[in-house]
């Protein structure tokens, strides 16, 4: 206030506030060494990311105190109110925040290091497929806390200008986790394919199934965390508090490009889990075209009554496996994910592929047709017991086969 009076009374200035603001601006720009060089030199002495972040926080606190002093002069009551040009305040803002602007790229590097330190977890070095997947799911679940803490700290340092510097750090973390998920996904798939080639059945009891499920959940959880929109808040009305205009400059706000990779990984893992789950069914269904029971049957055996026919081994193997799914699925699924969706998908897959395989059987004779209808009745009963319905393709196949065997009773 005294400076304003002195400029008004002694120098007869008509714009004393503007003069004072320009004096402070010139003073900051003329300091040697400059505040930016001093702060940068101190930053180089930091021996850890935490020390670097603490320096940035202290720098922002010092700047805030200086800005508060300037605002006290500007906002002090006086007889003739002077309106300061916005550009004059912005020039002062650029001079005041220049040290912080110079170090903001370093903030991104520090935050990346802090994020990466969270991934140095011994749990992520486990060899067991399921435990490794669970460790990655735990990482994804903890990401929300890491990001929330980091964003709050970034806002403390850079206010409404933080996103262009914060998002690259988030992208680096997300990309690192995506790389871990993709690598482990390939391990699970390789294990599954190796089992199939060795003639070993996979299925719900295979370690690859819960491992793929947990890893899919990890990708989904990380996508959910990244989808939460960051609230920038309203831009401050006072030009000296609008850090976006003095820190961002021409900085283009980056995008989270890893999101598309995470979406692909989630879908691939979803497909892998279902392929593992369906494998015992597929193994039995693949036997259908090679079975000799469909044709070249003894003519006398054609006269066997329907009650003399039993479901064949391949279809009872499928039925028994399907009936065990509910209890086994509950072991691996979270409470919010009911097993009925998996059951419905597996039942629909079984019906569709069964119909497709039977339609490719050539020269099916009368007894073969009866046996096929017996198998269809058995499969339909299992599917309905599981709370699902046979598909239109299987219904149409059954109708066609019954039409082709007039003697077959409904």
């Amino acid at each position: 206030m005294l400076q304003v009076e002195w400029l008004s009374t002694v120098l007869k200035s008509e714009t004393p506030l503007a003069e004072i603001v320009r004096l402070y601006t010139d003073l900051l720009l003329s300091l040697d060494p400059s505040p930016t060089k001093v702060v940068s030199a101190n930053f180089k002495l930091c021996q850890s990311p935490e020390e670097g972040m603490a320096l940035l926080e202290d720098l922002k606190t010092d700047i805030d105190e200086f800005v508060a002093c300037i605002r006290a002069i500007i906002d002090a009551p006086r007889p003739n109110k002077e309106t300061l040009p916005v550009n004059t305040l912005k020039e002062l803002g650029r001079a005041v925040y220049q040290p912080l602007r110079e170090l903001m790229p370093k903030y991104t590097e520090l935050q990346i290091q802090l994020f990466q330190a969270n991934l140095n977890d011994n749990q992520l070095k486990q060899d067991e497929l399921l435990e490794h997947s669970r460790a990655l799911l735990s990482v994804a679940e903890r990401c929300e806390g890491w990001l929330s803490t980091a964003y709050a700290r970034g806002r403390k340092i850079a206010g409404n200008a933080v996103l262009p510097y914060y998002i690259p750090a988030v992208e680096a973390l997300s990309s690192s986790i995506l790389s871990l998920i993709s690598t482990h996904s390939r391990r699970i798939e390789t294990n599954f394919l190796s089992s199939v080639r060795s003639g070993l059945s996979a299925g719900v009891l295979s370690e690859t199934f819960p491992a793929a499920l947990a890893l899919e959940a990890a990708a989904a959880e990380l996508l959910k965390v990244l989808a939460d929109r960051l609230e920038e808040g309203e831009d401050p009305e006072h030009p000296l508090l609008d850090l976006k205009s003095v820190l961002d400059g021409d900085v283009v706000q980056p995008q989270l490009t890893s999101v598309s990779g995470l979406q692909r990984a989630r879908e691939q893992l979803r497909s892998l889990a279902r392929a593992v789950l369906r494998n015992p069914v597929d193994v039995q269904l693949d036997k259908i075209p090679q079975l000799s029971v469909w044709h070249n049957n003894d003519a006398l055996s054609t006269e066997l009554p329907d009650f003399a026919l039993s479901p064949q081994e391949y279809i009872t193997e499928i039925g028994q496996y399907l009936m065990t799914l509910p209890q086994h699925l509950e072991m691996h699924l979270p409470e919010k994910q009911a097993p009925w969706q998996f059951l419905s998908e597996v039942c629909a897959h079984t019906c569709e592929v069964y119909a497709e395989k039977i339609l490719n059987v050539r020269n099916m004779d009368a007894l073969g047709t009866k046996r096929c209808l017996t198998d269809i009745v058995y499969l339909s009963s299992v599917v309905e017991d599981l709370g699902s319905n046979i598909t239109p393709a299987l219904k149409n196949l059954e109708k066609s086969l019954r039409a082709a065997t007039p003697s077959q009773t409904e």
Side-chain angles (χ1 to χ4, degrees):
M1 186 63 181
L2 292 176
Q3 299 99 320
V4 176
E5 290 181 1
W6 185 82
L7 286 170
S8 299
T9 57
V10 178
L11 297 183
K12 307 300 182 183
S13 174
E14 295 181 358
T15 56
L17 279 180
E19 292 291 343
I20 288 178
V21 169
R22 280 192 286 268
L23 282 171
Y24 275 114
T25 302
D26 293 341
L27 173 63
L28 289 170
L29 295 175
S30 64
L31 290 174
D32 188 21
S34 68
T36 299
K37 286 186 178 180
V38 173
V39 173
S40 296
N42 288 335
F43 183 84
K44 291 178 181 178
L45 298 177
C46 295
Q47 298 182 353
S48 69
E50 276 296 338
E51 286 188 14
M53 282 292 191
L55 184 143
L56 291 177
E57 289 178 298
D58 291 342
L59 172 60
K60 179 58 165 50
T61 299
D62 293 341
I63 291 175
D64 287 344
E65 291 176 357
F66 181 79
V67 169
C69 293
I70 297 295
R71 290 192 64 192
I73 296 172
I74 294 173
D75 299 336
R78 51 191 173 275
N80 47 347
K81 186 73 173 177
E82 175 187 347
T83 301
L84 279 171
V86 174
N87 286 338
T88 301
L89 283 173
K90 285 187 175 182
E91 287 175 7
L92 175 62
R94 281 191 287 270
V96 170
Y97 289 103
Q98 180 57 32
L100 185 60
R101 176 172 179 166
E102 194 72 22
L103 290 181
M104 281 310 296
K106 297 295 184 183
Y107 158 82
T108 303
E109 295 175 12
L110 294 175
Q111 190 56 70
I112 289 174
Q113 293 176 49
L114 291 171
F115 278 151
Q116 294 297 331
N118 292 318
L119 301 183
N120 296 328
D121 189 338
N122 289 330
Q123 294 294 318
L124 294 175
K125 299 176 184 177
Q126 297 191 73
D127 291 330
E128 291 185 12
L129 294 180
L130 178 54
E131 292 306 313
H132 197 127
S133 293
R134 285 174 174 167
L136 282 168
L137 176 56
S138 175
V139 165
E141 290 171 340
R142 284 180 284 162
C143 273
E144 184 175 6
W146 297 340
L147 296 181
S148 176
T149 300
Y151 183 62
R153 194 176 201 177
R155 288 276 301 181
K156 185 178 178 181
I157 293 171
N160 63 340
V162 70
L163 286 183
Y165 304 97
Y166 168 76
I167 289 179
V170 176
E171 173 64 18
L173 173 65
S174 176
S175 295
S176 294
I177 298 176
L178 171 59
S179 177
L180 294 173
I181 289 175
S182 298
T183 299
H184 190 47
S185 176
R186 288 191 292 272
R187 277 190 63 208
I188 296 172
E189 184 176 20
T190 299
N191 187 285
F192 166 58
L193 294 176
S194 176
S195 297
V196 172
R197 284 193 296 269
S198 302
L200 302 174
S201 180
V204 72
L205 295 180
S206 165
E207 186 186 22
T208 53
F209 175 67
L213 273 185
L215 198 57
E216 178 196 349
E221 178 65 24
L222 186 54
L223 281 169
K224 186 185 78 171
V225 171
L226 296 176
D228 290 340
R229 300 190 62 180
L230 298 172
E231 296 295 333
E232 293 188 60
E234 297 180 0
D235 292 339
E237 294 182 5
H238 201 288
L240 285 179
L241 301 179
D242 185 10
L243 275 68
K244 190 180 293 185
S245 64
V246 295
L247 291 184
D248 284 0
D250 297 327
V251 177
V252 177
Q253 185 163 307
Q255 301 297 316
L256 291 172
T257 56
S258 57
V259 167
S260 58
L262 282 167
Q263 291 171 335
R264 286 193 298 272
R266 180 187 61 186
E267 291 306 311
Q268 289 167 358
L269 285 162
R270 186 179 187 277
S271 298
L272 176 59
R274 278 136 181 90
V276 174
L277 186 63
R278 297 191 306 252
N279 178 255
V281 172
D282 291 335
V283 168
Q284 298 301 325
L285 291 176
D286 285 341
K287 296 177 181 178
I288 290 176
Q290 285 77 42
L291 293 175
S292 60
V293 296
W294 306 126
H295 39 68
N296 298 325
N297 289 294
D298 185 347
L300 293 176
S301 62
T302 304
E303 303 302 323
L304 286 172
D306 294 347
F307 62 81
L309 297 175
S310 300
Q312 298 176 80
E313 183 180 3
Y314 80 93
I315 200 68
T316 57
E317 289 281 345
I318 291 175
Q320 290 168 11
Y321 175 70
L322 292 178
M323 293 301 289
T324 65
L325 286 183
Q327 64 186 54
H328 289 137
L329 284 171
E330 288 179 355
M331 295 166 51
H332 303 304
L333 298 178
E335 293 181 4
K336 61 184 179 181
Q337 192 173 13
W340 69 265
Q341 182 180 357
F342 287 87
L343 287 172
S344 178
E345 290 178 4
V346 176
C347 288
H349 171 82
T350 304
C351 293
E352 288 293 308
V353 177
Y354 181 86
E356 178 185 323
K357 297 288 186 182
I358 291 296
L359 288 173
N360 287 325
V361 174
R362 296 289 179 261
N363 303 318
M364 184 181 289
D365 60 24
L367 182 57
T369 301
K370 283 187 174 185
R371 283 173 169 157
C372 184
L373 284 168
T374 301
D375 295 345
I376 291 175
V377 170
Y378 172 79
L379 177 59
S380 300
S381 174
V382 170
V383 169
E384 289 171 357
D385 285 346
L386 291 171
S388 191
N389 297 306
I390 63 174
T391 63
L394 189 57
K395 286 181 180 179
N396 292 334
L397 174 64
E398 183 179 8
K399 288 180 181 178
S400 299
L401 292 175
R402 291 196 185 282
T405 33
S407 62
Q408 180 70 36
T409 59
E410 295 291 337

